[in-house]
Amino acid sequence: IQAELSTNRFRIYTNSDIVGVELGGAVKNIIGIAAGVCAGLELGHNPLAALVTRGLAEMSRLCVALGGQGETLSGLAGMGDLLLTCTSGLSRNRTVGFELGRGRALEEILSSMRMIAEGVPTTHVALSLAERHGVEMPITSQMGRLLRGETTPSDAIEELMSRPLKAE
C-alpha cells in the first residue's frame, strides 16, 4: 500500500506501533485545545513552544504506560501531528481552546461547530487511562477541569505554571 499510494507529492510512512500511533492521534487533540487556550489568551510563541514540548512528554508517558513505544511520538504520528493541531487555524480542537481562551462557554462553542472536536471527549478518556495506569498528565488534567467548567483558562495556566519546579 505504501509503494502504491506514495507519489512525489505524497509520502507515506509505515509504523508497527499501533498503540503509539492511535494514542498520538487521539491525545494530540487535547494538547491542541490547550494550544488554542494559549492563543486565545494571547500568551505568545514561547509559552506555546513549552506547552507543545510538555504535551509531547505527557503523550509519551501515557503511550509507554499503555504498551506503546515512546519514540513513535517523536515522529509524524506524534510530533508531526501535534505541531499541526497546535498551530493550524483549521484545527477544530485548537479552535475550541481559542474560543475558551476568549471567554466563550464550551456549550456555545460546540453548538456553533459543524464538525466534532475530538479532543473534548478524548480528554476525559485520557484522564481515566492516566489515573488507571498512574501517569501524570498535568496539561490534560487542567484541560479536563476547564472542559468541566471547574476552572477558567487563566486559572488553568496559573495552576500549570505554579507546579513544583523540576529538571526536564
Side-chain angles (χ1 to χ4, degrees):
I1 291 173
Q2 179 186 30
E4 290 295 318
L5 295 179
S6 292
T7 70
N8 62 348
R9 292 180 184 222
F10 184 68
R11 187 170 176 91
I12 296 175
Y13 290 85
T14 63
N15 192 316
S16 61
D17 179 15
I18 298 192
V19 170
V21 170
E22 288 182 345
L23 190 86
V27 179
K28 55 96 176 166
N29 292 318
I30 303 164
I31 308 305
I33 294 171
V37 169
C38 287
L41 291 172
E42 299 180 0
L43 298 181
H45 298 291
N46 286 334
L48 176 63
L51 174 85
V52 170
T53 303
R54 297 314 306 158
L56 183 63
E58 283 189 21
M59 292 168 59
S60 296
R61 286 193 300 268
L62 186 60
C63 177
V64 170
L66 295 176
Q69 300 167 12
E71 53 273 6
T72 295
L73 298 182
S74 296
L76 292 172
M79 181 55 85
D81 209 5
L82 178 64
L83 283 173
L84 182 62
T85 300
C86 290
T87 60
S88 173
L90 298 176
S91 166
R92 297 178 305 271
N93 295 289
R94 183 185 179 278
T95 298
V96 167
F98 181 83
E99 294 298 333
L100 287 169
R102 291 283 193 207
R104 285 183 68 198
L106 179 62
E107 297 76 23
E108 177 188 346
I109 298 164
L110 296 179
S111 68
S112 69
M113 296 178 73
R114 292 188 330 222
M115 298 182 76
I116 303 233
E118 302 94 330
V120 175
T122 300
T123 300
H124 308 298
V125 174
L127 286 170
S128 176
L129 287 169
E131 184 178 330
R132 190 175 330 149
H133 293 276
V135 177
E136 184 181 34
M137 297 185 75
I139 297 168
T140 301
S141 178
Q142 287 302 316
M143 289 306 97
R145 293 188 66 232
L146 179 60
L147 294 172
R148 289 188 304 271
E150 299 171 0
T151 191
T152 66
S154 295
D155 287 346
I157 298 297
E158 179 69 29
E159 284 289 322
L160 288 169
M161 295 305 292
S162 64
R163 289 172 36 81
L165 300 173
K166 60 183 180 179
E168 185 172 42

